[in-house]
Amino acid sequence: MHTDTIPPISPDPVFWRDRRVLLTGYTGFKGSWLALWLHRLGARVTGIALPPPDEPSLYALAQVDEACDSHFIDIRDTQAVAEQIRRAEPEIVFHLAAQALVRAGYEDPLATYATNVMGTVHVLDALRGLDSVRAAVMVTTDKVYRNLEQPYPYREGDALGGHDPYSASKAASELVIASYRDAWLSAQGVAVASARAGNVIGGGDWAADRLIPDAVRCWQAGQPLPIRRPQAIRPWQHVLEPVNAYLHLAERLYRQPGLAGAYNFGPHTHEAATVRQVIERARQAYGDGDVQWGDGAEGPHEAGCLALETARARTVLGVQPRWNLDTSIDRTMNWYRRRHEGADARALCEADIQAFETAGRAA
């Protein structure tokens, strides 16, 4: 089937209504968006996470705690994680809890490996022998691949690897996921998939050392934005793209456990863009902002070129991008601009989710 003929996929409200869901990492950027969408769909969400790491945080501003049964638990705490998962008796699990920053991984590799590798072990091990669970979506990253610095979109079967601790820890967690699936969970009737998503942008991200949050902080303060590697290429996408993909993947796993495995989620390959292209568009959408362009020599090693091949997601799941890069950046910068003007963060998120759903129905 030609990809242009595939209708856009949106979550099924009938499927999610009153569905028991366990969501780790719900206080983070992507986790907060997923919690809000699950609540909108009528799911009964139990959340496990650390308190929000950033101030401000989307979790606090959008009152995400009202969207789920909230539990502040360190994913590295084996017993506490297992006890809460078993109490929740989830039917579906989304594992997003992670140390998710490349530069933070260099600063604290021990915590990065403990969180990303053993945290994944703790969640999966708690599912062994748990009769309620039917599907688990384990979120990793586009950086799990051994990066050859070539203009080549990585496919799910390509070699895993990682130069920096964050990337390596996520690649290692992929091995953990495959092992638990093959050794125990598949035979138990639990469909387990790993989701490898490209770089996400969207309103409500305030993490340090991320491109758009750094830009917003600098421009709101009237300061120039320093850019270390303007020519670095990444598969940028709006946060609702992978969140929508995770929801649809979980639905499909629940109904068709044979679809378990690894999936890339990202923009069309030709839409991978440089940091410079993203910032120029973001500055245009925001209306103002100075930039100091670096030469790529500053800071620790980071991949220069990274693109994903998403054919499997399109052909097997029917998931394909809905908002192009310009639309994704425009909606992101509009979110930050309106929030800075005093708009309610929860209402801004709800408006973006509704617009995303509407775009799917209209396509």
Side-chain angles (χ1 to χ4, degrees):
M1 180 185 294
H2 193 279
T3 57
D4 290 344
T5 68
I6 300 174
I9 297 295
S10 292
D12 178 3
V14 175
F15 174 86
W16 290 103
R17 190 171 299 120
D18 291 326
R19 186 76 61 187
R20 297 190 308 279
V21 176
L22 188 285
L23 170 59
T24 74
Y26 70 102
T27 61
F29 166 54
K30 198 187 293 184
S32 290
W33 278 96
L34 179 52
L36 291 174
W37 203 343
L38 283 165
H39 179 69
R40 178 183 177 90
L41 291 166
R44 294 158 54 190
V45 183
T46 298
I48 291 177
L50 292 174
D54 307 306
E55 179 60 43
S57 72
L58 182 60
Y59 169 81
L61 291 177
Q63 299 177 310
V64 175
D65 60 325
E66 296 179 358
C68 63
D69 180 18
S70 177
H71 299 273
F72 288 162
I73 296 172
D74 193 326
I75 205 71
R76 294 170 293 183
D77 187 333
T78 312
Q79 183 174 349
V81 169
E83 290 176 353
Q84 185 53 56
I85 289 177
R86 287 164 186 158
R87 278 197 297 268
E89 296 185 323
E91 298 167 87
I92 292 175
V93 173
F94 294 100
H95 176 50
L96 277 69
Q99 192 300 98
L101 300 172
V102 171
R103 288 167 72 89
Y106 279 111
E107 294 165 5
D108 194 349
L110 291 179
T112 298
Y113 284 111
T115 300
N116 294 351
V117 181
M118 291 310 299
T120 300
V121 171
H122 296 160
V123 171
L124 288 168
D125 202 65
L127 304 185
R128 290 201 297 142
L130 187 62
D131 294 337
S132 64
V133 66
R134 293 277 297 278
V137 174
M138 313 297 289
V139 174
T140 60
T141 177
D142 56 353
K143 297 174 181 63
V144 297
Y145 297 106
R146 184 163 63 88
N147 197 311
L148 304 176
E149 296 291 354
Q150 296 177 353
Y152 163 80
Y154 293 98
R155 295 164 171 80
E156 289 86 350
D158 286 337
L160 301 174
H163 180 282
D164 63 274
Y166 167 71
S167 301
S169 69
K170 284 295 195 173
S173 74
E174 286 278 354
L175 298 179
V176 169
I177 293 163
S179 172
Y180 267 85
R181 179 175 56 238
D182 296 343
W184 295 288
L185 296 177
S186 179
Q188 185 181 311
V190 182
V192 181
S194 62
R196 305 166 181 176
N199 289 47
V200 294
I201 59 175
D205 187 3
W206 278 282
D209 293 318
R210 281 197 185 139
L211 186 62
I212 296 298
D214 285 350
V216 170
R217 276 188 288 266
C218 288
W219 295 342
Q220 288 181 351
Q223 299 173 350
L225 168 68
I227 295 294
R228 297 187 302 271
R229 294 175 173 84
Q231 299 310 312
I233 297 172
R234 295 289 185 272
W236 309 95
Q237 59 186 329
H238 193 276
V239 63
L240 289 177
E241 299 282 5
V243 168
N244 177 61
Y246 302 159
L247 289 166
H248 182 65
L249 175 57
E251 290 181 31
R252 294 292 299 276
L253 291 173
Y254 189 95
R255 293 167 169 147
Q256 297 173 270
L259 296 180
Y263 293 88
N264 288 340
F265 296 117
H268 294 299
T269 303
H270 69 273
E271 286 202 328
T274 67
V275 169
R276 180 183 288 272
Q277 289 172 309
V278 171
I279 286 301
E280 292 289 10
R281 179 70 185 198
R283 180 162 56 176
Q284 177 185 353
Y286 200 68
D288 195 12
D290 293 328
V291 183
Q292 293 177 341
W293 301 106
D295 59 5
E298 181 189 351
H301 173 274
E302 295 183 55
C305 181
L306 180 58
L308 294 179
E309 174 56 70
T310 58
R312 184 167 194 243
R314 293 196 308 272
T315 58
V316 175
L317 301 176
V319 172
Q320 62 176 336
R322 186 168 306 176
W323 284 348
N324 64 24
L325 182 59
D326 285 350
T327 300
S328 299
I329 295 172
D330 290 349
R331 295 207 70 98
T332 297
M333 301 315 291
N334 179 67
W335 195 105
Y336 283 109
R337 186 174 57 251
R338 293 194 59 201
R339 173 59 199 165
H340 189 58
E341 294 168 351
D344 178 73
R346 179 73 165 266
L348 291 173
C349 291
E350 293 286 352
D352 274 353
I353 294 172
Q354 182 173 354
F356 192 88
E357 292 174 332
T358 301
R361 290 193 292 270

mmCIF file of all heavy atoms in Angstrom, residues 32-59:
data_model
loop_
_atom_site.group_PDB
_atom_site.id
_atom_site.type_symbol
_atom_site.label_atom_id
_atom_site.label_comp_id
_atom_site.label_asym_id
_atom_site.label_seq_id
_atom_site.Cartn_x
_atom_site.Cartn_y
_atom_site.Cartn_z
ATOM 1 N N SER A 32 3.901 13.712 30.652
ATOM 2 C CA SER A 32 2.777 14.588 31.003
ATOM 3 C C SER A 32 1.779 14.684 29.856
ATOM 4 O O SER A 32 0.558 14.617 30.060
ATOM 5 C CB SER A 32 3.287 15.981 31.374
ATOM 6 O OG SER A 32 3.973 15.972 32.614
ATOM 7 N N TRP A 33 2.279 14.836 28.628
ATOM 8 C CA TRP A 33 1.391 14.858 27.473
ATOM 9 C C TRP A 33 0.614 13.544 27.343
ATOM 10 O O TRP A 33 -0.588 13.542 27.058
ATOM 11 C CB TRP A 33 2.191 15.110 26.195
ATOM 12 C CG TRP A 33 2.497 16.554 25.933
ATOM 13 C CD1 TRP A 33 3.640 17.230 26.242
ATOM 14 C CD2 TRP A 33 1.657 17.512 25.274
ATOM 15 N NE1 TRP A 33 3.571 18.534 25.822
ATOM 16 C CE2 TRP A 33 2.367 18.735 25.221
ATOM 17 C CE3 TRP A 33 0.384 17.447 24.704
ATOM 18 C CZ2 TRP A 33 1.827 19.889 24.631
ATOM 19 C CZ3 TRP A 33 -0.146 18.591 24.115
ATOM 20 C CH2 TRP A 33 0.567 19.798 24.089
ATOM 21 N N LEU A 34 1.290 12.419 27.557
ATOM 22 C CA LEU A 34 0.620 11.124 27.449
ATOM 23 C C LEU A 34 -0.431 10.966 28.544
ATOM 24 O O LEU A 34 -1.545 10.474 28.291
ATOM 25 C CB LEU A 34 1.649 9.995 27.525
ATOM 26 C CG LEU A 34 1.115 8.559 27.443
ATOM 27 C CD1 LEU A 34 0.209 8.348 26.237
ATOM 28 C CD2 LEU A 34 2.279 7.564 27.416
ATOM 29 N N ALA A 35 -0.117 11.401 29.768
ATOM 30 C CA ALA A 35 -1.090 11.314 30.861
ATOM 31 C C ALA A 35 -2.334 12.142 30.553
ATOM 32 O O ALA A 35 -3.472 11.702 30.799
ATOM 33 C CB ALA A 35 -0.447 11.783 32.167
ATOM 34 N N LEU A 36 -2.137 13.339 30.010
ATOM 35 C CA LEU A 36 -3.283 14.196 29.682
ATOM 36 C C LEU A 36 -4.141 13.572 28.588
ATOM 37 O O LEU A 36 -5.380 13.615 28.647
ATOM 38 C CB LEU A 36 -2.793 15.572 29.237
ATOM 39 C CG LEU A 36 -2.147 16.440 30.316
ATOM 40 C CD1 LEU A 36 -1.582 17.715 29.708
ATOM 41 C CD2 LEU A 36 -3.136 16.767 31.429
ATOM 42 N N TRP A 37 -3.515 12.967 27.580
ATOM 43 C CA TRP A 37 -4.294 12.367 26.493
ATOM 44 C C TRP A 37 -5.027 11.121 26.991
ATOM 45 O O TRP A 37 -6.196 10.906 26.656
ATOM 46 C CB TRP A 37 -3.391 12.043 25.311
ATOM 47 C CG TRP A 37 -4.127 11.956 24.000
ATOM 48 C CD1 TRP A 37 -5.472 11.817 23.817
ATOM 49 C CD2 TRP A 37 -3.549 12.024 22.688
ATOM 50 N NE1 TRP A 37 -5.765 11.777 22.469
ATOM 51 C CE2 TRP A 37 -4.619 11.914 21.759
ATOM 52 C CE3 TRP A 37 -2.251 12.154 22.212
ATOM 53 C CZ2 TRP A 37 -4.401 11.919 20.385
ATOM 54 C CZ3 TRP A 37 -2.043 12.169 20.840
ATOM 55 C CH2 TRP A 37 -3.104 12.057 19.940
ATOM 56 N N LEU A 38 -4.374 10.304 27.805
ATOM 57 C CA LEU A 38 -5.046 9.128 28.368
ATOM 58 C C LEU A 38 -6.249 9.546 29.210
ATOM 59 O O LEU A 38 -7.316 8.913 29.162
ATOM 60 C CB LEU A 38 -4.061 8.320 29.215
ATOM 61 C CG LEU A 38 -3.066 7.448 28.448
ATOM 62 C CD1 LEU A 38 -1.931 7.005 29.366
ATOM 63 C CD2 LEU A 38 -3.760 6.230 27.846
ATOM 64 N N HIS A 39 -6.095 10.598 30.004
ATOM 65 C CA HIS A 39 -7.207 11.098 30.817
ATOM 66 C C HIS A 39 -8.349 11.559 29.915
ATOM 67 O O HIS A 39 -9.526 11.289 30.194
ATOM 68 C CB HIS A 39 -6.714 12.246 31.695
ATOM 69 C CG HIS A 39 -7.777 12.851 32.553
ATOM 70 N ND1 HIS A 39 -8.358 12.191 33.616
ATOM 71 C CD2 HIS A 39 -8.374 14.081 32.506
ATOM 72 C CE1 HIS A 39 -9.259 12.972 34.183
ATOM 73 N NE2 HIS A 39 -9.293 14.120 33.523
ATOM 74 N N ARG A 40 -8.009 12.249 28.847
ATOM 75 C CA ARG A 40 -9.005 12.715 27.882
ATOM 76 C C ARG A 40 -9.777 11.549 27.277
ATOM 77 O O ARG A 40 -10.980 11.663 26.989
ATOM 78 C CB ARG A 40 -8.292 13.517 26.788
ATOM 79 C CG ARG A 40 -9.145 14.049 25.648
ATOM 80 C CD ARG A 40 -8.252 14.744 24.618
ATOM 81 N NE ARG A 40 -8.974 15.211 23.460
ATOM 82 C CZ ARG A 40 -9.516 16.417 23.348
ATOM 83 N NH1 ARG A 40 -9.428 17.269 24.358
ATOM 84 N NH2 ARG A 40 -10.156 16.778 22.246
ATOM 85 N N LEU A 41 -9.097 10.412 27.106
ATOM 86 C CA LEU A 41 -9.715 9.219 26.526
ATOM 87 C C LEU A 41 -10.515 8.412 27.544
ATOM 88 O O LEU A 41 -11.180 7.440 27.174
ATOM 89 C CB LEU A 41 -8.629 8.330 25.912
ATOM 90 C CG LEU A 41 -7.939 8.884 24.667
ATOM 91 C CD1 LEU A 41 -6.675 8.095 24.366
ATOM 92 C CD2 LEU A 41 -8.880 8.873 23.464
ATOM 93 N N GLY A 42 -10.415 8.775 28.813
ATOM 94 C CA GLY A 42 -11.178 8.076 29.840
ATOM 95 C C GLY A 42 -10.468 6.920 30.500
ATOM 96 O O GLY A 42 -11.099 6.122 31.215
ATOM 97 N N ALA A 43 -9.160 6.793 30.292
ATOM 98 C CA ALA A 43 -8.405 5.700 30.916
ATOM 99 C C ALA A 43 -8.217 5.960 32.411
ATOM 100 O O ALA A 43 -8.242 7.105 32.877
ATOM 101 C CB ALA A 43 -7.048 5.542 30.241
ATOM 102 N N ARG A 44 -8.012 4.899 33.161
ATOM 103 C CA ARG A 44 -7.719 4.979 34.599
ATOM 104 C C ARG A 44 -6.210 4.795 34.766
ATOM 105 O O ARG A 44 -5.699 3.685 34.713
ATOM 106 C CB ARG A 44 -8.507 3.920 35.343
ATOM 107 C CG ARG A 44 -10.021 4.148 35.291
ATOM 108 C CD ARG A 44 -10.815 2.888 35.537
ATOM 109 N NE ARG A 44 -10.434 2.233 36.778
ATOM 110 C CZ ARG A 44 -10.834 1.010 37.136
ATOM 111 N NH1 ARG A 44 -11.615 0.312 36.304
ATOM 112 N NH2 ARG A 44 -10.465 0.489 38.263
ATOM 113 N N VAL A 45 -5.508 5.900 34.961
ATOM 114 C CA VAL A 45 -4.051 5.921 34.896
ATOM 115 C C VAL A 45 -3.442 5.932 36.291
ATOM 116 O O VAL A 45 -3.811 6.749 37.140
ATOM 117 C CB VAL A 45 -3.558 7.154 34.114
ATOM 118 C CG1 VAL A 45 -2.032 7.136 33.997
ATOM 119 C CG2 VAL A 45 -4.207 7.210 32.734
ATOM 120 N N THR A 46 -2.494 5.018 36.509
ATOM 121 C CA THR A 46 -1.647 5.043 37.693
ATOM 122 C C THR A 46 -0.258 5.486 37.262
ATOM 123 O O THR A 46 0.312 4.921 36.325
ATOM 124 C CB THR A 46 -1.554 3.657 38.352
ATOM 125 O OG1 THR A 46 -2.864 3.251 38.777
ATOM 126 C CG2 THR A 46 -0.619 3.692 39.558
ATOM 127 N N GLY A 47 0.276 6.507 37.926
ATOM 128 C CA GLY A 47 1.567 7.049 37.548
ATOM 129 C C GLY A 47 2.657 6.742 38.552
ATOM 130 O O GLY A 47 2.437 6.813 39.762
ATOM 131 N N ILE A 48 3.832 6.380 38.041
ATOM 132 C CA ILE A 48 5.041 6.185 38.848
ATOM 133 C C ILE A 48 6.125 7.083 38.278
ATOM 134 O O ILE A 48 6.419 7.022 37.076
ATOM 135 C CB ILE A 48 5.511 4.721 38.814
ATOM 136 C CG1 ILE A 48 4.533 3.812 39.561
ATOM 137 C CG2 ILE A 48 6.922 4.590 39.396
ATOM 138 C CD1 ILE A 48 4.913 2.335 39.502
ATOM 139 N N ALA A 49 6.705 7.926 39.122
ATOM 140 C CA ALA A 49 7.766 8.821 38.649
ATOM 141 C C ALA A 49 8.400 9.521 39.834
ATOM 142 O O ALA A 49 7.866 9.508 40.956
ATOM 143 C CB ALA A 49 7.214 9.860 37.680
ATOM 144 N N LEU A 50 9.527 10.157 39.584
ATOM 145 C CA LEU A 50 10.082 11.110 40.528
ATOM 146 C C LEU A 50 9.293 12.408 40.447
ATOM 147 O O LEU A 50 8.590 12.652 39.463
ATOM 148 C CB LEU A 50 11.551 11.376 40.202
ATOM 149 C CG LEU A 50 12.534 10.217 40.412
ATOM 150 C CD1 LEU A 50 13.915 10.609 39.888
ATOM 151 C CD2 LEU A 50 12.612 9.848 41.894
ATOM 152 N N PRO A 51 9.386 13.263 41.457
ATOM 153 C CA PRO A 51 8.800 14.602 41.312
ATOM 154 C C PRO A 51 9.374 15.276 40.077
ATOM 155 O O PRO A 51 10.476 14.944 39.629
ATOM 156 C CB PRO A 51 9.233 15.313 42.597
ATOM 157 C CG PRO A 51 9.461 14.216 43.587
ATOM 158 C CD PRO A 51 10.005 13.069 42.782
ATOM 159 N N PRO A 52 8.642 16.218 39.479
ATOM 160 C CA PRO A 52 9.118 16.845 38.236
ATOM 161 C C PRO A 52 10.507 17.432 38.400
ATOM 162 O O PRO A 52 10.789 18.115 39.380
ATOM 163 C CB PRO A 52 8.068 17.925 37.951
ATOM 164 C CG PRO A 52 7.291 18.075 39.208
ATOM 165 C CD PRO A 52 7.371 16.781 39.931
ATOM 166 N N PRO A 53 11.400 17.167 37.424
ATOM 167 C CA PRO A 53 12.795 17.579 37.562
ATOM 168 C C PRO A 53 13.037 19.047 37.247
ATOM 169 O O PRO A 53 14.098 19.575 37.579
ATOM 170 C CB PRO A 53 13.518 16.694 36.535
ATOM 171 C CG PRO A 53 12.481 16.441 35.487
ATOM 172 C CD PRO A 53 11.171 16.366 36.213
ATOM 173 N N ASP A 54 12.081 19.695 36.593
ATOM 174 C CA ASP A 54 12.300 21.064 36.128
ATOM 175 C C ASP A 54 11.331 22.025 36.800
ATOM 176 O O ASP A 54 10.232 21.653 37.213
ATOM 177 C CB ASP A 54 12.124 21.149 34.612
ATOM 178 C CG ASP A 54 12.982 20.136 33.879
ATOM 179 O OD1 ASP A 54 14.203 20.124 34.129
ATOM 180 O OD2 ASP A 54 12.434 19.346 33.088
ATOM 181 N N GLU A 55 11.736 23.275 36.882
ATOM 182 C CA GLU A 55 10.888 24.341 37.385
ATOM 183 C C GLU A 55 10.990 25.529 36.430
ATOM 184 O O GLU A 55 12.079 26.101 36.291
ATOM 185 C CB GLU A 55 11.312 24.751 38.797
ATOM 186 C CG GLU A 55 10.508 25.876 39.401
ATOM 187 C CD GLU A 55 9.029 25.557 39.516
ATOM 188 O OE1 GLU A 55 8.691 24.426 39.922
ATOM 189 O OE2 GLU A 55 8.225 26.450 39.189
ATOM 190 N N PRO A 56 9.917 25.885 35.758
ATOM 191 C CA PRO A 56 8.570 25.305 35.862
ATOM 192 C C PRO A 56 8.503 23.924 35.231
ATOM 193 O O PRO A 56 9.446 23.493 34.568
ATOM 194 C CB PRO A 56 7.711 26.301 35.086
ATOM 195 C CG PRO A 56 8.640 26.865 34.054
ATOM 196 C CD PRO A 56 9.970 26.959 34.730
ATOM 197 N N SER A 57 7.387 23.235 35.421
ATOM 198 C CA SER A 57 7.182 21.922 34.810
ATOM 199 C C SER A 57 5.784 21.848 34.221
ATOM 200 O O SER A 57 4.838 22.443 34.761
ATOM 201 C CB SER A 57 7.357 20.799 35.844
ATOM 202 O OG SER A 57 6.258 20.771 36.755
ATOM 203 N N LEU A 58 5.662 21.136 33.123
ATOM 204 C CA LEU A 58 4.342 20.923 32.529
ATOM 205 C C LEU A 58 3.452 20.160 33.493
ATOM 206 O O LEU A 58 2.247 20.428 33.589
ATOM 207 C CB LEU A 58 4.477 20.161 31.206
ATOM 208 C CG LEU A 58 3.181 19.908 30.442
ATOM 209 C CD1 LEU A 58 2.494 21.220 30.074
ATOM 210 C CD2 LEU A 58 3.438 19.073 29.196
ATOM 211 N N TYR A 59 4.038 19.238 34.242
ATOM 212 C CA TYR A 59 3.282 18.449 35.217
ATOM 213 C C TYR A 59 2.533 19.356 36.185
ATOM 214 O O TYR A 59 1.338 19.165 36.445
ATOM 215 C CB TYR A 59 4.232 17.520 35.976
ATOM 216 C CG TYR A 59 3.615 16.853 37.173
ATOM 217 C CD1 TYR A 59 2.815 15.720 37.026
ATOM 218 C CD2 TYR A 59 3.823 17.344 38.460
ATOM 219 C CE1 TYR A 59 2.235 15.103 38.123
ATOM 220 C CE2 TYR A 59 3.246 16.736 39.566
ATOM 221 C CZ TYR A 59 2.457 15.619 39.390
ATOM 222 O OH TYR A 59 1.877 15.012 40.475
#
